[in-house]
Amino acid sequence: MAEEIVTIHTEYITLDAFLKWTGVADTCGQAKALIAAGLVHVNGEPELRRGRKLRAGDRVRLEGGGQWLIRREGE
């Protein structure tokens, strides 16, 4: 699957909010469950913190799902 570029307009976005914003999860509860199950990787490492701050240059991958590169507007 090809990596998608996602542009944020703020300094960072939390991992659970990112999963909701991209449509991977419909609710915060679903996002939390995906993260707790170890299915979400940030920069190649499993990430279990739903409040992890994603910044420009971070890469997110969902096992069995998509891949995203975070970009900040104007950079």
Side-chain angles (χ1 to χ4, degrees):
M1 178 174 269
E3 184 175 73
E4 251 185 89
I5 296 175
V6 175
T7 302
I8 60 173
H9 306 283
T10 56
E11 181 183 343
Y12 66 86
I13 185 170
T14 59
L15 183 56
D16 60 346
F18 174 82
L19 293 175
K20 279 185 57 184
W21 188 52
T22 57
V24 170
D26 292 327
T27 66
C28 285
Q30 286 179 345
K32 184 178 176 181
L34 289 170
I35 295 164
L39 299 175
V40 182
H41 297 252
V42 177
N43 299 326
E45 298 292 325
E47 182 55 69
L48 300 175
R49 298 172 294 166
R50 63 185 178 101
R52 162 75 186 259
K53 294 177 181 176
L54 301 173
R55 292 184 163 81
D58 283 337
R59 286 185 154 79
V60 179
R61 179 176 62 85
L62 177 65
E63 286 187 26
Q67 298 181 73
W68 301 269
L69 171 64
I70 309 296
R71 181 180 160 270
R72 186 161 178 206
E73 184 178 45
E75 290 183 5

